[in-house]
Amino acid sequence: MSLRQTQGSNIVMRRQNHSSTVEFILLGFSNYPELQDQMFGTFLVIYLVTVMGNAIIITIIFLDQSLHIPMYLFLQNLSLVDLCFSTVITPKMLVVLTSKKATISFGGCFAQMYFILFFGVTECFLLGAMAYDRFAAICHPLSYPMIMNKRVFMKLVMFSWVSGTMMSTLQTTWVFSFPYCDHKEINHLFCETPPVLELACADTFLFEVYAFTGTIFIVMVPFLLILLSYTRILFTILRIPSTTGRQKAFSTCASHLTSVTLFYGTASIIYLQPKSRYSPDTKKLMSLAYILLTPLLNPLIYSLRNKEMKRAVLKLWQRKVAFHTA
């Protein structure tokens, strides 16, 4: 057989192998079958509480006109992102925990990875925008209505969502442009970029450089904005003469700071660590902290620590009771 014929047959074989990968197998925690039932029950409860908590915040802010200000409208967008983010991942993860051989189609894996990146990037920039809003409100209270007017608010929200769309489209398309041959087993609970990329039978070095650089940009740019905003906020608060005024200013920032710590702490551990540092099972557990805890705790943080939110909930509850007793 000639060299040209050999090369041609190799190309055909690679195309056949690539086309044969129509689905992937999600391994999940298959090494620990005795724990999967407990995990299923725990994750189901967490998911239901997450959906209910975020849906309540979205609904309350929508119904209460007094909350139609940038601070709460940013929170409404954050709750929508957390609700969608959790819904993209958790239902399929519950299926993985109850199946001996959980599969996901090539297209389904693409869609899940796309929306994980989309909502993750959007949340990064939303948290940065929320920090800027707090900076403007505390450091420039007199000019705050002009600094954070409706037009500026809409630009920041649109920038967050559009950034998520652009980054997820580029990265997901690139990941699934690699040939995957006969490798089908994803050692993870869902289609996250690193475990899927391990199955590619091609040189992914250039993509890995791009992904690491892009992750640093996506994580660090909003984080630096948050850090700068809160540095200015801290100096402003310390100059407030009254203790009551300082406590009130701190309380308006506490919820957002807690969310930032949760989100950036877990995300940086997962995406900015060397490949070989942790075992696959450890990486799965860290991913669970990222995709379960943040969407779950955000509604609790903002509702329990925020007097206006509690007031709005109480008002809507009283209105509902009055309607049923009338």
Side-chain angles (χ1 to χ4, degrees), residues 114-133:
Y114 176 90
F115 286 112
I116 289 171
L117 291 167
F118 172 52
F119 293 120
V121 173
T122 303
E123 181 152 351
C124 274
F125 287 106
L126 274 176
L127 288 171
M130 291 171 78
Y132 177 72
D133 174 66

Side-chain angles (χ1 to χ4, degrees), residues 72-230:
Y72 294 103
L73 294 175
F74 278 126
L75 174 58
Q76 188 180 46
N77 276 268
L78 184 66
S79 292
L80 178 60
V81 168
D82 283 338
L83 176 62
C84 296
F85 184 72
S86 186
T87 300
V88 164
I89 300 172
T90 310
K92 185 61 181 180
M93 191 167 66
L94 294 174
V95 173
V96 172
L97 291 172
T98 55
S99 305
K100 291 183 178 179
K101 186 180 178 181
T103 61
I104 184 168
S105 67
F106 195 86
C109 192
F110 180 98
Q112 190 179 56
M113 184 185 294
Y114 176 90
F115 286 112
I116 289 171
L117 291 167
F118 172 52
F119 293 120
V121 173
T122 303
E123 181 152 351
C124 274
F125 287 106
L126 274 176
L127 288 171
M130 291 171 78
Y132 177 72
D133 174 66
R134 292 299 81 212
F135 158 75
I138 293 172
C139 299
H140 303 283
L142 298 179
S143 53
Y144 174 72
M146 292 181 290
I147 296 173
M148 189 56 68
N149 55 43
K150 185 176 181 181
R151 185 177 178 183
V152 173
F153 165 77
M154 288 302 299
K155 283 183 177 180
L156 289 171
V157 170
M158 290 303 297
F159 176 79
S160 300
W161 287 95
V162 170
S163 296
T165 304
M166 292 174 61
M167 297 300 294
S168 58
T169 300
L170 175 60
Q171 185 159 323
T172 309
T173 304
W174 195 348
V175 168
F176 283 90
S177 69
F178 292 115
Y180 283 89
C181 304
D182 290 327
H183 305 296
K184 294 182 179 181
E185 293 184 343
I186 300 174
N187 193 10
H188 207 54
L189 289 149
F190 49 91
C191 286
E192 202 168 25
T193 303
V196 172
L197 202 63
E198 289 176 3
L199 306 185
C201 51
D203 184 9
T204 60
F205 175 76
L206 186 61
F207 172 82
E208 289 172 16
V209 171
Y210 150 77
F212 186 77
T213 306
T215 301
I216 290 176
F217 171 78
I218 292 166
V219 171
M220 293 308 297
V221 169
F223 182 74
L224 289 174
L225 176 62
I226 291 167
L227 190 63
L228 180 62
S229 297
Y230 276 104

Side-chain angles (χ1 to χ4, degrees), residues 243-261:
T243 305
T244 305
R246 286 196 297 269
Q247 289 177 344
K248 185 177 180 181
F250 271 123
S251 67
T252 63
C253 301
S255 299
H256 181 252
L257 275 174
T258 308
S259 293
V260 167
T261 303

Side-chain angles (χ1 to χ4, degrees), residues 131 151 169 281 284 310:
R151 185 177 178 183
T169 300
D281 287 335
K284 292 174 198 175
K310 288 188 281 189

